[in-house]
Amino acid sequence: TIRGSSDRGGFTADNFAVRKISSIGSQSPKSFVDVKGFPVWWSEEGIQQIDYNPQFDSFQVNSLTQESLKRQYLTIPAYNRRFTKGAYDSHIDFIYWLYSDDQNTAEVTQSSFNKVLIYHTKGKSFATWTLPTASSIQVKGVVFVQDSIGISNPQVKFVSSYPSSTNQKLVYAELKPSSYTDWATYAADSSGNSADTNPFV
């Protein structure tokens, strides 16, 4: 942390103090998400979060997986954890992390994902989704999209690809069907060609 020293007033160019919070780092740079101003990330030991302690006016790193998910977390190959991608849905307070638990790490790349780990920040609970691997549709990333003018609600979308003739199409899949069936509905391509369709979750 960097802040102004208490004995000389506020923060200025020649009046500041630097204090180390923790030595717990990460090899998963895209796992970092901003939860209401506080970072959450995947480390070698588990999933970590920086919390503020108002009693001591200090920050500390706490593990989200120490009590409930550490054993399962450590079964994910360390090589695979480097490619984890995360997004925080501030509208419903959910964090989504894409990862692969494939033990054959030779087949894993920075866009190979077969699992989604979801963390509810209010309820402090985890859930896991399994992504289809036999399907030609592949999930490549996850993003939180906010409407700058506020017409539609913000939401998480999954960057996905699927083959179309000789090309790969890139689309943004949404969490919206009521049939509880993955990849069930389609929307017309932005080109206007109704014969060229994009899948949405």
Side-chain angles (χ1 to χ4, degrees), residues 40 47-49 62-69 97 119 126:
V40 181
I47 300 176
Q48 314 292 337
Q49 178 176 17
N62 294 315
S63 173
L64 300 180
T65 52
Q66 182 65 38
E67 301 297 330
S68 60
L69 204 71
W97 283 290
Y119 178 67
F126 287 95

Side-chain angles (χ1 to χ4, degrees), residues 40-92:
V40 181
W41 71 97
W42 285 37
S43 73
E44 290 304 303
E45 298 84 10
I47 300 176
Q48 314 292 337
Q49 178 176 17
I50 290 183
D51 293 318
Y52 176 67
N53 187 331
Q55 182 177 357
F56 299 101
D57 189 25
S58 64
F59 295 88
Q60 62 189 25
V61 173
N62 294 315
S63 173
L64 300 180
T65 52
Q66 182 65 38
E67 301 297 330
S68 60
L69 204 71
K70 186 170 185 178
R71 182 174 296 180
Q72 179 182 338
Y73 180 86
L74 294 177
T75 63
I76 304 170
Y79 178 84
N80 298 8
R81 294 198 299 263
R82 300 189 309 164
F83 305 128
T84 300
K85 294 180 181 178
Y88 171 58
D89 188 335
S90 60
H91 191 61
I92 57 175

Side-chain angles (χ1 to χ4, degrees):
T1 60
I2 303 176
R3 60 173 62 182
S5 58
S6 57
D7 58 333
R8 295 177 56 195
F11 181 91
T12 64
D14 61 350
N15 174 40
F16 61 89
V18 180
R19 296 178 182 175
K20 182 177 180 178
I21 298 176
S22 173
S23 60
I24 299 176
S26 176
Q27 291 185 331
S28 311
K30 293 184 178 180
S31 71
F32 276 83
V33 295
D34 179 352
V35 179
K36 303 185 186 307
F38 294 94
V40 181
W41 71 97
W42 285 37
S43 73
E44 290 304 303
E45 298 84 10
I47 300 176
Q48 314 292 337
Q49 178 176 17
I50 290 183
D51 293 318
Y52 176 67
N53 187 331
Q55 182 177 357
F56 299 101
D57 189 25
S58 64
F59 295 88
Q60 62 189 25
V61 173
N62 294 315
S63 173
L64 300 180
T65 52
Q66 182 65 38
E67 301 297 330
S68 60
L69 204 71
K70 186 170 185 178
R71 182 174 296 180
Q72 179 182 338
Y73 180 86
L74 294 177
T75 63
I76 304 170
Y79 178 84
N80 298 8
R81 294 198 299 263
R82 300 189 309 164
F83 305 128
T84 300
K85 294 180 181 178
Y88 171 58
D89 188 335
S90 60
H91 191 61
I92 57 175
D93 294 306
F94 275 60
I95 304 174
Y96 299 84
W97 283 290
L98 300 177
Y99 71 97
S100 172
D101 65 355
D102 190 343
Q103 299 299 315
N104 183 8
T105 56
E107 300 296 324
V108 177
T109 68
Q110 59 182 334
S111 59
S112 299
F113 305 109
N114 64 1
K115 298 284 186 178
V116 183
L117 181 65
I118 306 103
Y119 178 67
H120 186 203
T121 62
K122 290 285 183 66
K124 302 189 181 304
S125 58
F126 287 95
T128 304
W129 293 345
T130 298
L131 298 173
T133 55
S135 170
S136 59
I137 301 168
Q138 295 182 329
V139 176
K140 302 292 187 180
V142 58
V143 292
F144 180 59
V145 180
Q146 300 187 72
D147 183 351
S148 60
I149 56 176
I151 295 178
S152 58
N153 288 331
Q155 62 181 306
V156 161
K157 295 191 177 186
F158 294 90
V159 183
S160 308
S161 69
Y162 75 103
S164 176
S165 300
T166 57
N167 301 317
Q168 284 283 331
K169 295 289 186 178
L170 192 66
V171 297
Y172 289 90
E174 301 174 357
L175 303 170
K176 69 179 185 181
S178 58
S179 62
Y180 300 100
T181 303
D182 293 334
W183 314 106
T185 58
Y186 295 81
D189 184 82
S190 57
S191 66
N193 181 3
S194 59
D196 191 8
T197 56
N198 292 344
F200 286 79
V201 175

